[in-house]
Amino acid sequence: MTTLKVVKLNVNYKTIEEFKKFKEYGIQELSMLEDLQENIIENDSDSPFYGIYFGDKLVARMSLYRVDERFDKYFDPPQDYLELWKLEVLSDYQHKGFGRALVDYAKSFNLPIKTNPRVKSKEFWNAMGFTSVTYDMERDLGENPLVWYPEGVKEQLR
């Protein structure tokens, strides 16, 4: 398989139309449409959205947010990390490396990553090297988060 190219998605109405093709479109928790609409200012605004095209069709997408250590509730000592949200691959393109390519792209920032597995996705995240966070429910925030650390990072969870 050829190398898959992850691109930063422009924040515009064309991207909204592309998002409507995804299975989870319309499900509030997983849809990035609302996030996108809130961020539409102009085509060159700082977009948290990334995707992979197959030809001219958007087939995989994710949102990736950098969280400043001031707001860190997961790592000790507090540090900057990435929060990977709403990764989705169109059903016809699943199991072909698109999801892995998005996760590998996020890992390339060399920061710890936190995500919350969706239904039936924990096996995928485990294969990507993510591990469960186990600590008291107050800190868990009911999210059941998974985390990944760059090589050499040994910080402990709070």
Side-chain angles (χ1 to χ4, degrees), residues 64-128:
L64 191 63
Y65 297 92
R66 185 173 180 135
V67 178
D68 187 275
E69 68 179 66
R70 294 175 295 162
F71 306 105
D72 180 0
K73 298 175 185 162
Y74 299 95
F75 304 99
D76 189 16
Q79 58 191 294
D80 289 358
Y81 68 94
L82 296 175
E83 185 146 11
L84 194 158
W85 280 92
K86 304 171 185 173
L87 184 142
E88 185 178 3
V89 178
L90 292 177
S91 59
D92 289 345
Y93 298 88
Q94 292 176 0
H95 308 290
K96 296 181 180 176
F98 292 98
R100 175 178 291 279
L102 287 172
V103 173
D104 287 346
Y105 181 82
K107 288 178 177 180
S108 74
F109 287 90
N110 206 34
L111 288 170
I113 301 172
K114 179 242 175 207
T115 193
N116 298 330
R118 304 297 181 212
V119 176
K120 300 179 183 177
S121 70
K122 193 168 183 180
E123 189 175 303
F124 167 79
W125 292 109
N126 289 338
M128 298 294 103

Side-chain angles (χ1 to χ4, degrees), residues 21 23 32 42 77 92 128 132:
K21 298 171 187 165
K23 178 181 178 184
M32 294 193 301
E42 53 190 62
D92 289 345
M128 298 294 103
S132 294

